[in-house]
Amino acid sequence: MSQFAFKQFSVTQHHAAMKVSTDGILLGAWVPLAEANRIVDVGTGTGLIALMCKQRSPMSTVHAVELDDNALKDAEFNIKHSPWPDIELHRCAIQEFDNELRFDLMVSNPPYFNASLKGENQARNRARHTDSLSFDALLDAFEKFTTDAGQLAVILPYQESLLFCQLAKARNWFLVSSCAIKTTPSKSYSRRLLLIGKQNLAQPSHEQSLVIYDVDNQYTNDFVSLCHEFYLKM
């Protein structure tokens, strides 16, 4: 599908290697934004998560960072033709990001394959594998570009999320909340949404779970409640 229509914006994806996915939609709908006046989306791809954050928090300043030239073509088009053309798009890797702003929130649907087989599509390889953005590099960026009270939201495969939490804990950061995702009730958890904070909120992390499809292959009430502001048919 070369275009994905949402309630308030559309995502054209002619060029980007990674298309609109349930992962990105889950992250954009779930990430807490109440305290986020300045937001940066790392590896924005088509611009999906930046657009979702801006829809949910229109008064926030949103920046989007992307390395891949083809993805940038789609992101630029999608932002320009959205209700929020003031989203600022940066053409660079986050490791080369040059900005004096300090963000309240960093959000990313990052590459997560470490050692799996790669295909012939190099752009897709870069988008899916950690060669271009390792977990440590993302955590370095979080440390550098966010405020002392900054938070980082990501979505990862469940097993990779455990490693990511260990790496964050080693830097004396804290798991604020998480949501484990199952595709159906009978399957194992396949994804996990994480919110990492630099400050200890002096309370246990908030652990949730969510199932996308029920036994009749229909969206669950929890999934509809989370995503109904975006999907056209919800």
Side-chain angles (χ1 to χ4, degrees):
M1 183 184 295
S2 61
Q3 188 174 64
F4 202 107
F6 294 94
K7 286 181 177 176
Q8 295 191 35
F9 62 91
S10 293
V11 172
T12 295
Q13 46 188 4
H14 295 297
H15 305 96
M18 295 305 295
K19 310 302 183 185
V20 170
S21 69
T22 304
D23 283 7
I25 295 169
L26 281 166
L27 179 58
W30 176 83
V31 57
L33 300 179
E35 305 298 325
N37 295 315
R38 296 181 302 277
I39 302 166
V40 59
D41 176 20
V42 178
T44 195
T46 60
L48 170 66
I49 294 171
L51 289 162
M52 293 180 73
C53 288
K54 191 67 174 178
Q55 176 182 322
R56 292 179 55 209
S57 184
M59 300 305 294
S60 296
T61 299
V62 177
H63 291 244
V65 179
E66 178 54 56
L67 170 66
D68 184 75
D69 287 338
N70 287 321
L72 281 162
K73 293 176 184 176
D74 287 337
E76 188 171 32
F77 180 90
N78 293 329
I79 291 168
K80 180 179 179 180
H81 292 87
S82 77
W84 315 285
D86 59 317
I87 294 173
E88 190 164 336
L89 185 61
H90 301 268
R91 299 170 177 264
C92 64
I94 190 61
Q95 297 94 320
E96 301 163 354
F97 190 46
D98 183 16
N99 198 300
E100 294 183 358
L101 275 179
R102 290 297 172 265
F103 297 94
D104 306 304
L105 174 69
M106 179 175 286
V107 60
S108 184
N109 180 7
Y112 49 72
F113 288 122
N114 289 295
S116 58
L117 293 175
K118 298 182 179 180
E120 296 181 359
N121 186 325
Q122 294 305 310
R124 187 170 173 84
N125 286 339
R126 284 194 300 272
R128 289 166 60 86
H129 292 77
T130 57
D131 300 23
S132 61
L133 181 64
S134 68
F135 290 170
D136 276 321
L138 180 57
L139 292 168
D140 286 344
F142 172 52
E143 182 169 24
K144 182 177 181 180
F145 295 115
T146 59
T147 66
D148 291 342
Q151 295 185 325
L152 169 65
V154 297
I155 185 167
L156 291 167
Y158 193 87
Q159 290 302 316
E160 278 76 0
S161 79
L162 303 178
L163 169 61
F164 196 86
C165 287
Q166 290 177 356
L167 294 173
K169 185 177 181 180
R171 297 176 185 238
N172 295 315
W173 296 335
F174 304 89
L175 179 63
V176 178
S177 61
S178 70
C179 184
I181 308 295
K182 287 184 179 183
T183 307
T184 65
S186 62
K187 290 189 176 180
S188 300
Y189 290 116
S190 59
R191 295 287 188 271
R192 193 169 174 223
L193 294 151
L194 303 175
L195 184 67
I196 303 293
K198 291 182 177 178
Q199 293 186 346
N200 187 355
L201 301 180
Q203 59 190 27
S205 61
H206 184 49
E207 307 281 345
Q208 300 171 297
S209 62
L210 183 144
V211 179
I212 298 176
Y213 295 102
D214 63 22
V215 293
D216 298 317
N217 205 35
Q218 302 297 310
Y219 287 138
T220 62
N221 291 336
D222 286 345
F223 185 77
V224 171
S225 178
L226 181 65
C227 299
H228 73 276
E229 293 182 17
F230 299 100
Y231 280 101
L232 283 174
K233 295 182 179 180
M234 281 186 180

